[in-house]
């Protein structure tokens, strides 16, 4: 059986809990990600996608229910342990790249290893390998604001991968990229997933971006409404089904 790397049981998130403004953003989510999955999370604005991704990646803690990452329940860890665990197990890619402008591309990519006091030679070797793979090795001395969006996002991928995380968590990773760079980024993520078995969980609003994944999880009003497996579908047929799910939702909103 495939190894489960991420699991939620009855995950519930209430903002402003125990106040008159309490708002239940996630209701009762049961969800599993297996090693080597590439999951795309979609849903209308305000449906709970960010809340969900934050709760499954230790950024936030559920109000009730359980989140397991690599079999470890996040809630049972101290905040120090969570920090270490996050660094050892998860790589993050964000819409706005989140690179530090005061640091070179090299320093940004090396950051997770520098923080963990890995020795300099090993850091140099690991950065060199990834930078070559992601085609940013000629940019390592530059600062992020001297590089294009696509180059910055490729450096952010290097940073996310530098520690060999079990899971990549990506929140709208193509949100600030043009279509050519978006397609290139998705091919990189797809290759990491297919060839290196990296597990990916990604939020996006774009059906074309989702068509690179192997499973769509569609969230609506804080619940999983639909799950679509790509299975044997061609990317084009999978894309058509993704569009149908999204447009059925839009039609429903129009009819309200
Ligand atoms: P999405 O990412 O799908 O746009 P979010 O997860 O950001 O949705 O938000 C889900 C719901 O939770 C929305 O109704 C939003 O207004 C509410 N929400 C999000 N963050 C907070 C917060 N910090 N405090 C109160 N309500 C919040």
């Amino acid at each position: 059986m495939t190894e489960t790397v991420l699991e939620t049981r009855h995950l519930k998130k209430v903002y402003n809990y125990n106040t008159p403004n309490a708002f239940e953003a996630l209701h009762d989510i049961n969800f599993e990600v297996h090693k080597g999955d590439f999951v795309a999370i979609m849903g209308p604005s305000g449906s709970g996608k960010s809340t969900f991704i934050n709760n499954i990646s230790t950024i936030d803690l559920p109000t009730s229910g359980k989140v397991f990452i690599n079999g470890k329940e996040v809630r049972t860890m101290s905040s120090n342990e969570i920090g270490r665990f996050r660094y050892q197990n998860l790589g993050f890619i964000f819409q706005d790249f989140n690179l530090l402008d005061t640091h070179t591309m090299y320093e940004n990519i090396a950051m997770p290893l520098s923080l963990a006091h890995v020795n300099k030679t090993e850091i140099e070797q690991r950065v060199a390998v990834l930078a070559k793979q992601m085609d940013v090795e000629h940019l390592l001395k530059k600062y992020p604001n001297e590089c294009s969006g696509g180059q910055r996002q490729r450096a952010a991928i290097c940073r996310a991968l530098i520690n060999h995380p079990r899971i990549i968590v990506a929140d709208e990773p193509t949100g600030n990229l043009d279509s050519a760079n978006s397609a290139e980024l998705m091919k990189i993520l797809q290759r990491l997933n297919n060839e290196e078995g990296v597990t990916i969980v990604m939020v996006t609003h774009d059906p074309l971006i989702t068509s690179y994944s192997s499973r769509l999880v569609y969230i609506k009003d804080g619940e999983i409404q639909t799950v679509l497996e790509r299975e044997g579908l061609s990317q084009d047929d999978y894309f058509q089904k993704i569009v149908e799910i999204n447009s059925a939702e839009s039609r429903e909103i129009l009819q309200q």
Side-chain angles (χ1 to χ4, degrees):
M1 222 179 86
T2 339
E3 188 187 340
T4 302
V5 290
L6 198 146
E7 185 179 357
T8 72
R9 287 196 207 141
H10 304 294
L11 167 60
K12 186 194 271 196
K13 180 70 190 181
V14 183
Y15 287 113
N16 305 317
Y17 188 59
N18 265 345
T19 75
N21 297 327
F23 179 79
E24 192 167 309
L26 297 176
H27 302 308
D28 179 19
I29 297 202
N30 294 300
F31 172 76
E32 270 187 29
V33 178
H34 299 120
K35 187 174 181 332
D37 274 351
F38 185 168
V39 181
I41 296 166
M42 299 187 90
S45 179
S47 58
K49 302 180 296 296
S50 302
T51 305
F52 184 55
I53 204 154
N54 289 343
N55 276 272
I56 59 172
S57 61
T58 74
I59 304 270
D60 200 357
L61 289 173
T63 309
S64 65
K66 293 177 176 172
V67 176
F68 297 88
I69 305 176
N70 293 338
K72 185 119 175 114
E73 195 195 336
V74 176
R75 231 183 210 299
T76 62
M77 293 185 251
S78 67
S79 55
N80 272 349
E81 264 182 288
I82 290 180
R84 203 172 335 113
F85 182 83
R86 186 187 300 158
Y87 151 77
Q88 286 166 345
N89 291 277
L90 302 169
F92 292 89
I93 304 174
F94 303 94
Q95 176 169 357
D96 53 6
F97 322 128
N98 272 21
L99 298 175
L100 295 175
D101 282 332
T102 50
H103 289 57
T104 63
M105 296 281 263
Y106 178 92
E107 289 162 345
N108 270 288
I109 295 171
M111 186 84 59
L113 299 182
S114 312
L115 290 173
H117 307 294
V118 172
N119 79 61
K120 201 163 159 260
T121 318
E122 180 163 356
I123 295 182
E124 279 169 8
Q125 283 166 353
R126 276 158 77 171
V127 173
V129 171
L130 274 176
K132 187 161 193 296
Q133 221 181 332
M134 296 299 156
D135 195 20
V136 291
E137 79 264 51
H138 56 299
L139 304 168
L140 291 174
K141 291 195 174 120
K142 289 191 185 277
Y143 288 85
N145 56 17
E146 298 175 295
C147 302
S148 72
Q151 291 167 336
R152 279 184 269 174
Q153 196 57 304
R154 294 205 302 279
I157 295 179
C158 293
R159 184 188 52 191
L161 290 172
I162 196 95
N163 211 24
H164 307 302
R166 307 284 305 274
I167 307 170
I168 291 276
V169 176
D171 196 354
E172 295 276 4
T174 60
N176 280 327
L177 299 179
D178 59 25
S179 54
N181 276 302
S182 296
E184 190 187 315
L185 174 73
M186 294 321 296
K187 283 184 190 137
I188 291 172
L189 291 182
Q190 204 173 40
R191 184 182 56 72
L192 289 168
N193 176 250
N194 285 339
E195 293 172 17
E196 300 185 27
V198 176
T199 306
I200 302 171
V201 182
M202 166 184 80
V203 168
T204 180
H205 65 273
D206 184 340
L208 189 60
I209 297 303
T210 298
S211 73
Y212 288 87
S213 72
S214 53
R215 182 169 22 135
L216 160 64
V217 172
Y218 193 90
I219 295 187
K220 191 187 168 195
D221 298 332
E223 283 173 349
I224 295 180
Q225 192 189 46
T226 309
V227 176
L228 173 68
E229 301 280 351
R230 174 166 172 181
E231 290 177 325
L233 293 177
S234 69
Q235 185 169 4
D236 195 33
D237 289 345
Y238 184 43
F239 171 70
Q240 293 303 333
K241 285 187 183 284
I242 296 162
V243 170
E244 276 164 32
I245 288 172
N246 278 272
S247 56
E249 172 60 30
S250 305
R251 271 198 302 275
E252 213 175 280
I253 292 169
L254 265 182
Q255 284 161 0
Q256 278 167 9

